[in-house]
């Protein structure tokens, strides 16, 4: 597995596990609890260590399932990321939201705590007062942001007492907004990870004929080509979601594939 280093030298694998829709979308869904817990456990057994979740996912139920899945594993081996929702960005709300998320996951610290979406209606200073306190009290090891523009990242970086570890944004081979809006370049220049969400475009990237041709040439899957294209770029990590064991394995192995630079570069002209 390939790793990216955080500012303090800690290594983070370039492929982590997304959890959106596990345990529900906007509301709680209890119908697949056992399957969801089992597949997250399986993911950890086969080598995933980074789990990405959020208080908003399944209205908190996703975090409850993550908590059940990680219960038998050594906490120190795991890297748990969660996110505070954009309506909870006032000082007291952030502290309460983080506490609630930790309670749902039965953990006593968050590895990485992110602002899920910016909220122009709440001063960022207020939010970072709380995030800085979470760091100081060791409730969170690292903080970061999600869906932030370059200007918002720069404001956040100035307010944070510790370097921002990531900006989590939508990025995949057929969605290149972070290249156009400068977020990718800003991350690479400021030693900040770009965590690519929807790294498979929710499956949409996988039917592209060029991706399929490259996958066939190397005897791999289109999903693996799409993930490899992302994580071969400096400072880019990906968090694909899957409830399918074969897909989980494929996605994890995707980082180590030896696809030629020429083939990866040929994807740069892909139509979005
Ligand atoms: N910060 C934000 O605002 C934000 C927004 C969206 C998402 N996220 C995070 O990013 C994660 C990933 O994004 P996403 O879940 O929206 O989309 P995604 O990972 O691009 O796509 C997930 C879909 O791809 C399928 N899939 C996964 N691996 C596959 C493979 N190897 N071959 C074929 N199909 C495969 C999955 O189905 P199977 O289960 O059948 O494999 C699932 O339907 C989320 O789960 C969430 O943690 C963050």
């Amino acid at each position: 597995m390939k790793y990216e280093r955080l500012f303090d030298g800690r290594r983070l694998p370039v492929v982590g596990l997304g959890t959106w829709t596990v345990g529900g979308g906007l509301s709680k869904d209890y119908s697949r609890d056992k399957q969801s817990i089992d597949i997250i456990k399986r993911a950890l057994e086969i080598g995933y260590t980074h789990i990405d979740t959020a208080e908003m996912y399944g209205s908190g139920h996703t975090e409850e399932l993550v908590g059940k899945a990680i219960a038998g594993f050594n906490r120190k081996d795991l890297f748990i990321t969660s996110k505070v929702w954009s309506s909870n960005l006032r000082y007291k709300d952030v502290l309460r939201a983080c506490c609630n998320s930790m309670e749902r996951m039965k953990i006593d610290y968050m590895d990485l705590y992110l602002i899920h979406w910016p909220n122009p209606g709440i001063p960022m200073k207020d939010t970072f007062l709380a995030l800085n306190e979470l760091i100081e009290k060791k409730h969170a090891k690292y903080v970061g942001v999600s869906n932030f523009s370059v200007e918002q990242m720069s404001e956040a970086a100035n307010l944070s007492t510790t370097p921002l570890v990531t900006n989590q944004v939508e990025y995949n081979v057929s969605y290149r907004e972070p290249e156009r809006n400068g977020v990718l370049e800003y991350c690479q220049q400021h030693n900040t990870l770009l965590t690519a969400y929807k790294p498979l475009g929710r499956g949409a990237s996988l039917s592209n004929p060029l991706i399929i041709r490259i996958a066939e040439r190397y005897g791999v899957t289109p999903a693996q080509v799409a993930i490899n294209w992302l994580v071969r770029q400096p400072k880019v990590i990906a968090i694909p979601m899957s409830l399918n064991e074969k897909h989980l394995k494929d996605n994890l192995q995707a980082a180590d594939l030896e696809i030629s630079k020429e083939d990866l570069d040929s994807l740069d002209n892909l139509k979005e």
Side-chain angles (χ1 to χ4, degrees):
M1 172 58 70
K2 192 175 163 250
Y3 295 86
E4 282 288 349
R5 278 196 190 275
L6 306 186
F7 63 86
D8 60 356
R10 183 163 175 183
R11 295 187 323 161
L12 193 60
V14 295
V15 177
L17 181 67
T19 60
W20 168 240
T21 68
V22 174
L26 295 176
S27 55
K28 297 173 197 271
D29 175 359
Y30 296 92
S31 64
R32 293 179 306 168
D33 280 9
K34 185 174 179 325
Q35 183 204 354
S36 302
I37 294 167
D38 287 350
I39 199 75
I40 297 172
K41 276 187 186 166
R42 192 69 197 116
L44 297 174
E45 282 162 10
I46 65 178
Y48 283 83
T49 53
H50 177 195
I51 300 181
D52 177 82
T53 189
E55 63 167 336
M56 185 271 251
Y57 296 176
S59 197
H61 189 47
T62 309
E63 290 181 330
E64 289 166 356
L65 297 177
V66 168
K68 287 185 175 146
I70 65 175
F73 293 83
N74 189 343
R75 177 71 186 88
K76 286 201 191 79
D77 297 337
L78 304 176
F79 191 97
I80 308 291
T81 297
S82 193
K83 317 182 194 81
V84 53
W85 189 238
S86 54
S87 54
N88 279 337
L89 297 184
R90 288 189 178 81
Y91 171 75
K92 277 193 173 155
D93 294 339
V94 175
L95 298 181
R96 199 192 53 231
C98 184
C99 201
N100 289 342
S101 286
M102 290 195 293
E103 232 173 82
R104 283 191 287 269
M105 291 191 275
K106 309 249 181 302
I107 56 177
D108 55 9
Y109 69 92
M110 200 72 83
D111 288 283
L112 175 57
Y113 200 46
L114 306 180
I115 301 175
H116 204 147
W117 282 88
N119 181 343
I122 299 175
M124 220 191 276
K125 207 173 151 197
D126 233 40
T127 311
F128 272 94
L129 206 60
L131 292 177
N132 292 338
E133 190 173 314
L134 289 174
I135 293 278
E136 198 188 306
K137 294 193 167 156
K138 301 197 186 313
H139 294 316
K141 290 199 173 206
Y142 307 99
V143 293
V145 296
S146 177
N147 300 299
F148 270 42
S149 67
V150 165
E151 291 71 27
Q152 289 161 336
M153 281 185 83
S154 173
E155 186 185 349
N158 284 332
L159 292 168
S160 182
T161 49
T162 52
L164 296 182
V165 156
T166 193
N167 186 8
Q168 185 179 124
V169 294
E170 180 172 359
Y171 187 36
N172 62 58
V173 68
S174 30
Y175 182 82
R176 308 293 185 87
E177 188 55 20
E179 295 172 12
R180 287 189 292 268
N181 65 18
V183 164
L184 176 63
E185 193 183 354
Y186 181 97
C187 286
Q188 290 172 333
Q189 286 177 352
H190 290 80
N191 195 22
T192 304
L193 298 179
L194 187 157
T195 304
Y197 75 65
K198 291 194 206 166
L200 304 173
R202 297 215 166 122
S205 308
L206 311 182
S207 52
N208 182 282
L210 185 52
I211 296 183
I212 292 172
R213 263 208 308 282
I214 294 175
E216 283 171 356
R217 189 173 308 148
Y218 289 87
V220 300
T221 69
Q224 289 181 308
V225 174
I227 293 171
N228 190 267
W229 178 87
L230 279 169
V231 304
R232 290 273 292 272
Q233 301 182 56
K235 295 289 151 206
V236 177
I237 69 168
I239 46 168
M241 190 287 295
S242 180
L243 291 174
N244 172 310
E245 186 171 341
K246 161 140 192 344
H247 291 168
L248 284 175
K249 283 182 184 158
D250 286 351
N251 297 348
L252 199 61
Q253 286 162 3
D256 298 323
L257 300 178
E258 306 268 334
I259 299 176
S260 75
K261 188 175 176 312
E262 198 183 19
D263 280 330
L264 290 177
D265 287 351
S266 74
L267 293 172
D268 282 345
N269 299 321
L270 213 63
K271 289 259 182 312
E272 290 189 33

